[in-house]
Amino acid sequence: MCQISEKTIRTLEFDKILAMLADLTCCEDARNATLQLKINTDPETVRKEIQKTADFYTVSTSYGTPTFFHLKNPSGMMKRAAAGGTLFPGELLKISELLRQIRLLDEWAAQNRIMPDGILPMFERLSPNKYLEQRIESTVVSEEEIDDNASPELASIRRKKKAAQLRVREQLEKLTRSQQKYLQDSIITMRDGRYVVPVKAEYRNEVNGLVHDTSASGSTLFIEPAAVVEANNEIRLLEGQEQDEINRILLELSGECASFSETILDSFQLAVEMNLCFCKANLGAKMNATVPKIREDGCLCLNKARHPLIDAKKVVPVDIRLGKDFTTLVVTGPNTGGKTVTLKTTGLLTLMAMSGLLIPAGDNSEISVFNHVLVDIGDEQSIEQSLSTFSAHMTNIVSILKQADAFSLVLLDELGSGTDPVEGAALAISILETLRKRGCRIAATTHYAELKIYALETERVENACCEFDITTLQPTYKLLIGVPGRSNAFAISSRLGVDESVINHAKELIASDSKRFEDVIDRLEEARQRLEQEKEELSRKNQELERYKEDIKKLKNSLNFSKDKEMEIAQEQAKKLIRDVQYQAAQMLEELETLKKQKDKEDFSQKVSISRSQIKGKLQKLDDIANPVKANSEEKYILPRKLQIGDHVQLIDVGSKGVVISEADRKGRYQIQAGSMRLWTKETNLMLLNEKVKQQVGKTTRTVKSQSARKVQTEVDLRGLTVEEALLELDQFIDNAVMTNINVISIIHGKGTGALRTAVQNHLKRHRNIKTFRLGVYGEGESGVTIAELK
């Protein structure tokens, strides 16, 4: 049961929020439902309503809001139809429009099936009735007209009626032409549903017929000529038949509506509910609102809260906390500084959340559900009741004290004002103590210094103030929790031009305790401002540090990827080298085994064992150097000279390049600009680029060979290639050998059928860089290898 009073709703202006919401609705029922929106005091219900609004907000943001028509509540029409009554054409059109609304909502949901689980069942409960919708649309043209094709009988009657009307008009047109001098005007008109002609009064006896009407002046008579009386009678008869058929059609259609009345009424209520939910979502979007966390322990935490009724371009967001570290907040400060707005924002946003509305506040805001929200805000002076401002406030306080309990939020504006300051301050402290002992959550504004001291000395009572800029004499409207407000009276008076002697005399009149207290507040304010500046500077540095950390993370990931890629390539190259050498060694071992069978067994066996041992040792050595990373890690680099600013260097540990931007510090570290990062590193981690680099392994110094020198080879393996591929590979190999000043090369072509060997040797005969060539001898590969000497 909601226990929020109408007075609280009006004081906190929640009724204006409901009016804003009502203006977004599509029909009277949705508007009434909005204005009667329930403020729930059950936390679980509040959570469900907030989540429903959040779900509709998500859907509206993703797919837009479906179109809603101006719907008419069909319950009265359905009751009359169910009782056997006939609905008017206009009422049937309203039902048709409702059915179209239901169908469009169903189609909209079908197009946007990815919806939160909380609202999808609402759309699934809709009952579109396209048959009845089309039946009404094909029957009723307007509120005054039924379609000719509503039934075959109606179509037949109207054809006959039109034919009869045409005959009458033809006869009357002949009459007007033949007896024009007797007529007031050559026109055909109608009286009482019958065709007549206007005849001059003096020629009444010249036109045979029935008089149906007379003009106001009496000079014109509207006569139905005798020649068309029968035709007019036929038209009247057809009109009666037409109306009877229309009544039958409307009755039949009303009965069909009655047969679907239950589903139509349920779908109407769903459409109204959906419209209200979408309006809540759209209001939240308009306010740039968020979903608060709902609590039930009396804690409030509003981040960047904004009063929704203040212009969004002018409102100053405030941070409001209450209930966790302290249960009572005493807000002080000058008038028009924002104290009352702070109270109203706290209460209004609480009511909005308890009604299932999103609140205009920042992310991670929290609101508790209260059984009572009790307020005394504003000047309640009543002339009619002869109550002063103080009396009016006390009347409200009496009512609050009767209702307040541990589940109440109490908001008190200018507590204790309007009477003697000493008595008012004492009374204010007593009221706060009474409410605090009951467990209420309290926010109160005051000007009394005694309440500032009370807040400083009392556990779980906290001071707060609305900041005031002395230099501009303007409030900033920021709420500062933990800081008592300053009076600023002397400073403001001085800046406004009050003589210093007057101000100094006023200072002398202040009690010493009050003066010391104001001095303490001044020092606290100065300390707060310094802390605020330090906080902003720290925040800026933290943001910069986060950017650096992100840059380092990206660079590290890039380096790790490059390192893994290079390692993979190097290992594949090393493995290929080993496979090639192992293949050649296996060939050599096979040849040795063959020769072994043909020589002295003991002598040659020993030689073969020695050769095999040597070859295996070489293979093991090749396997050890297959991983280039390991080899690099064993090498120690020595700088050829002292580094200077502007030198291009490489960081040995990560492989990235940079530029020296500072001299070495006392620890021997240099600052390096590597991309967008600046970092300090030791001299031993830097390699100078674009210089002749020396490396030292152990105690032996050697100059690093060029890339081309490391790739020099004295033999080429053509096995497995076609003749064309082999000759192309051979030409390239010979060119490299000539460029590197190699005199003798070995060409491995294998024995096989001898075709590749023949092709190679024929090619060598014609090559301009080959001096001589021969087959290999024992130990060189014999007929599987050709040894060539270069010019």
Side-chain angles (χ1 to χ4, degrees):
M1 179 67 179
C2 177
Q3 301 182 44
I4 310 300
S5 69
E6 288 296 324
K7 182 177 181 298
T8 295
I9 290 174
R10 289 194 307 273
T11 302
L12 294 177
E13 300 178 289
F14 182 62
D15 55 329
K16 294 182 180 179
I17 299 296
L18 294 182
M20 291 173 61
L21 184 60
D23 289 340
L24 301 176
T25 56
C26 71
C27 63
E28 197 64 29
D29 286 70
R31 181 178 182 84
N32 292 336
T34 299
L35 296 176
Q36 299 170 11
L37 192 63
K38 184 178 180 182
I39 302 175
N40 295 290
T41 56
D42 174 54
E44 195 56 39
T45 302
V46 172
R47 289 190 186 97
K48 289 180 180 178
E49 290 299 316
I50 281 277
Q51 187 57 52
K52 184 192 292 185
T53 304
D55 289 342
F56 273 91
Y57 180 87
T58 300
V59 170
S60 181
T61 303
S62 301
Y63 309 122
T65 302
T67 301
F68 283 89
F69 307 134
H70 185 74
L71 304 178
K72 177 71 175 177
N73 192 328
S75 58
M77 295 179 280
M78 289 301 171
K79 286 181 181 178
R80 197 166 78 253
T86 300
L87 300 180
F88 297 113
E91 294 175 320
L92 290 169
L93 287 176
K94 289 183 174 62
I95 293 175
S96 173
E97 187 175 36
L98 171 59
L99 292 173
R100 184 157 63 99
Q101 174 74 84
I102 295 168
R103 176 174 56 82
L104 291 177
L105 286 174
D106 184 68
E107 291 175 354
W108 184 88
Q111 294 172 356
N112 308 302
R113 273 295 175 185
I114 303 177
M115 290 188 185
D117 294 337
I119 63 174
L120 189 58
M122 290 180 65
F123 286 93
E124 292 175 343
R125 284 164 49 200
L126 289 170
S127 300
N129 192 333
K130 196 170 184 179
Y131 157 74
L132 185 57
E133 177 191 349
Q134 292 179 340
R135 177 91 165 82
I136 296 175
E137 288 181 352
S138 63
T139 300
V140 183
V141 176
S142 68
E143 293 186 2
E144 305 294 334
E145 184 180 359
I146 302 299
D147 192 271
D148 292 350
N149 298 314
S151 73
E153 181 65 22
L154 182 61
S156 175
I157 293 172
R158 286 184 172 173
R159 283 195 301 270
K160 295 176 182 178
K161 177 182 172 183
K162 288 179 181 178
Q165 289 172 338
L166 183 58
R167 290 196 301 271
V168 170
R169 294 190 70 86
E170 288 176 350
Q171 291 179 13
L172 290 178
E173 286 173 359
K174 291 178 181 178
L175 179 65
T176 56
R177 287 193 297 269
S178 62
Q179 300 183 1
Q180 188 171 0
K181 63 179 181 177
Y182 306 135
L183 303 181
Q184 194 75 25
D185 292 298
S186 298
I187 60 172
I188 301 171
T189 185
M190 295 190 75
R191 288 293 185 272
D192 297 329
R194 303 180 76 87
Y195 287 98
V196 295
V197 291
V199 179
K200 295 176 182 178
E202 58 269 27
Y203 297 116
R204 163 67 185 86
N205 296 325
E206 302 298 329
V207 179
N208 184 23
L210 302 175
V211 178
H212 285 276
D213 198 5
T214 305
S215 66
S217 63
S219 61
T220 304
L221 303 176
F222 295 94
I223 298 175
E224 177 186 7
V228 298
V229 169
E230 191 63 32
N232 272 332
N233 289 339
E234 182 183 0
I235 291 172
R236 294 299 295 271
L237 179 62
L238 290 171
E239 285 176 346
Q241 294 175 356
E242 177 187 25
Q243 190 58 51
D244 290 342
E245 180 61 16
I246 288 174
N247 291 339
R248 187 195 67 78
I249 292 171
L250 293 178
L251 181 61
E252 180 182 341
L253 203 50
S254 301
E256 289 198 61
C257 290
S259 65
F260 295 108
S261 62
E262 186 175 350
T263 57
I264 291 175
L265 291 173
D266 288 344
S267 294
F268 170 76
Q269 295 299 331
L270 277 172
V272 169
E273 183 180 356
M274 287 178 189
N275 180 243
L276 177 56
C277 290
F278 273 113
C279 290
K280 286 182 178 181
N282 292 337
L283 182 65
K286 184 178 179 181
M287 294 180 177
N288 195 23
T290 59
V291 182
K293 178 182 178 182
I294 301 301
R295 306 177 62 129
E296 45 190 301
D297 56 359
C299 291
L300 289 169
C301 180
L302 300 175
N303 301 319
K304 307 296 181 185
R306 308 176 302 279
H307 196 289
L309 297 178
I310 300 178
D311 187 348
K313 297 179 180 178
K314 298 179 181 179
V315 66
V316 177
V318 293
D319 296 329
I320 304 170
R321 292 181 288 110
L322 181 64
K324 186 176 182 181
D325 301 322
F326 49 88
T327 60
T328 302
L329 190 65
V330 178
V331 185
T332 52
N335 289 328
T336 71
K339 302 190 302 297
T340 302
V341 172
T342 297
L343 292 188
K344 285 190 171 185
T345 301
T346 303
L348 181 56
L349 267 57
T350 299
L351 295 185
M352 288 176 66
M354 291 170 64
S355 303
L357 297 174
L358 307 185
I359 62 171
D363 294 334
N364 303 317
S365 293
E366 301 178 349
I367 282 187
S368 281
V369 177
F370 297 97
N371 285 344
H372 303 277
V373 178
L374 307 170
V375 299
D376 176 46
I377 298 176
D379 188 352
E380 297 285 347
Q381 184 172 2
S382 172
I383 296 176
E384 292 181 1
Q385 298 180 15
S386 298
L387 295 177
S388 66
T389 299
F390 176 75
S391 299
H393 279 303
M394 283 302 103
T395 301
N396 288 338
I397 297 296
V398 170
S399 175
I400 288 172
L401 290 174
K402 288 180 181 179
Q403 302 177 69
D405 57 18
F407 302 98
S408 298
L409 173 65
V410 182
L411 306 173
L412 305 172
D413 190 28
E414 300 295 348
L415 182 60
S417 63
T419 187
D420 178 76
V422 175
E423 293 181 354
L427 187 59
I429 292 173
S430 179
I431 291 170
L432 290 181
E433 271 295 291
T434 301
L435 293 171
R436 192 174 67 83
K437 288 178 181 179
R438 294 186 187 181
C440 301
R441 301 297 185 266
I442 312 159
T445 68
T446 183
H447 285 286
Y448 295 139
E450 290 86 348
L451 265 71
K452 302 176 188 178
I453 299 173
Y454 166 75
L456 288 172
E457 296 176 344
T458 308
E459 185 180 359
R460 294 184 66 74
V461 180
E462 187 62 87
N463 269 304
C465 70
C466 291
E467 190 179 51
F468 190 87
D469 190 341
I470 295 296
T471 59
T472 63
L473 299 182
Q474 294 292 328
T476 66
Y477 302 105
K478 292 181 180 178
L479 182 67
L480 307 176
I481 295 178
V483 180
R486 303 166 62 188
S487 65
N488 297 315
F490 294 152
I492 294 173
S493 299
S494 177
R495 288 189 60 83
L496 292 176
V498 177
D499 191 87
E500 284 297 321
S501 61
V502 176
I503 294 175
N504 291 334
H505 182 60
K507 290 180 178 178
E508 293 173 359
L509 297 176
I510 297 179
S512 59
D513 290 343
S514 299
K515 187 175 181 180
R516 285 197 300 272
F517 182 70
E518 289 294 329
D519 290 341
V520 169
I521 292 178
D522 287 343
R523 289 195 295 273
L524 284 173
E525 177 62 14
E526 292 174 0
R528 184 196 66 78
Q529 291 180 357
R530 287 197 303 272
L531 289 174
E532 283 289 330
Q533 293 175 353
E534 293 174 3
K535 181 181 177 182
E536 290 179 2
E537 179 65 18
L538 182 61
S539 176
R540 185 188 64 77
K541 289 182 177 179
N542 283 338
Q543 291 176 358
E544 186 176 352
L545 180 60
E546 287 297 324
R547 288 197 299 269
Y548 284 150
K549 287 170 65 178
E550 189 65 25
D551 289 342
I552 292 172
K553 183 179 178 181
K554 291 179 180 178
L555 179 61
K556 182 179 178 181
N557 292 338
S558 176
L559 291 173
N560 286 338
F561 177 79
S562 299
K563 174 184 173 183
D564 293 342
K565 198 71 176 175
E566 291 296 329
M567 183 179 294
E568 182 181 348
I569 293 173
Q571 288 177 343
E572 284 298 322
Q573 291 176 344
K575 289 178 181 179
K576 183 178 183 302
L577 176 63
I578 291 174
R579 285 195 298 270
D580 291 344
V581 174
Q582 285 175 338
Y583 179 79
Q584 295 176 31
Q587 289 282 351
M588 294 173 66
L589 289 174
E590 287 180 7
E591 293 173 0
L592 290 173
E593 287 292 343
T594 303
L595 292 174
K596 172 183 159 184
K597 297 177 182 178
Q598 302 173 1
K599 298 291 183 179
D600 177 62
K601 191 170 185 179
E602 293 183 3
D603 181 53
F604 203 79
S605 176
Q606 184 178 2
K607 292 180 179 180
V608 169
S609 297
I610 293 171
S611 298
R612 181 183 289 111
S613 177
Q614 291 175 345
I615 292 172
K616 288 184 177 179
K618 293 178 180 178
L619 290 175
Q620 183 61 46
K621 186 177 181 180
L622 285 172
D623 189 54
D624 290 340
I625 66 172
N627 188 342
V629 177
K630 180 179 177 182
N632 289 337
S633 66
E634 294 173 354
E635 296 176 353
K636 184 177 180 181
Y637 172 76
I638 298 176
L639 285 169
R641 62 172 173 80
K642 185 174 180 63
L643 293 175
Q644 300 174 356
I645 295 176
D647 281 342
H648 289 263
V649 295
Q650 181 171 351
L651 282 72
I652 295 174
D653 55 353
V654 296
S656 60
K657 298 178 181 180
V659 179
V660 178
I661 61 174
S662 76
E663 299 288 348
D665 63 5
R666 287 179 296 177
K667 297 182 180 180
R669 300 179 305 169
Y670 289 87
Q671 191 174 21
I672 308 299
Q673 180 77 44
S676 62
M677 292 193 309
R678 291 186 178 183
L679 50 89
W680 290 89
T681 186
K682 294 181 178 179
E683 181 182 72
T684 55
N685 188 38
L686 297 174
M687 176 184 293
L688 185 63
L689 301 178
N690 300 328
E691 295 281 343
K692 187 175 180 181
V693 181
K694 290 187 176 181
Q695 293 182 340
Q696 179 174 320
V697 182
K699 297 182 180 180
T700 304
T701 302
R702 59 185 174 85
T703 301
V704 177
K705 295 180 180 181
S706 67
Q707 186 71 12
S708 61
R710 290 198 298 270
K711 289 186 177 179
V712 171
Q713 294 183 5
T714 60
E715 65 179 24
V716 61
D717 190 351
L718 306 179
R719 290 172 297 180
L721 303 178
T722 65
V723 172
E724 291 79 6
E725 293 172 342
L727 297 181
L728 184 62
E729 182 74 17
L730 178 59
D731 283 339
Q732 186 176 358
F733 175 73
I734 293 174
D735 291 342
N736 289 337
V738 171
M739 292 176 65
T740 52
N741 297 319
I742 294 176
N743 296 324
V744 179
I745 60 174
S746 299
I747 304 166
I748 304 171
H749 43 63
K751 298 176 182 178
T753 61
L756 184 57
R757 179 180 65 239
T758 302
V760 168
Q761 292 183 351
N762 289 337
H763 188 68
L764 293 176
K765 290 177 184 179
R766 301 187 297 271
H767 203 288
R768 65 180 183 277
N769 292 322
I770 300 301
K771 185 177 181 180
T772 61
F773 63 88
R774 61 175 175 80
L775 285 174
V777 297
Y778 172 71
E780 293 178 330
E782 300 184 354
S783 61
V785 176
T786 295
I787 307 299
E789 183 181 357
L790 302 179
K791 292 180 181 179

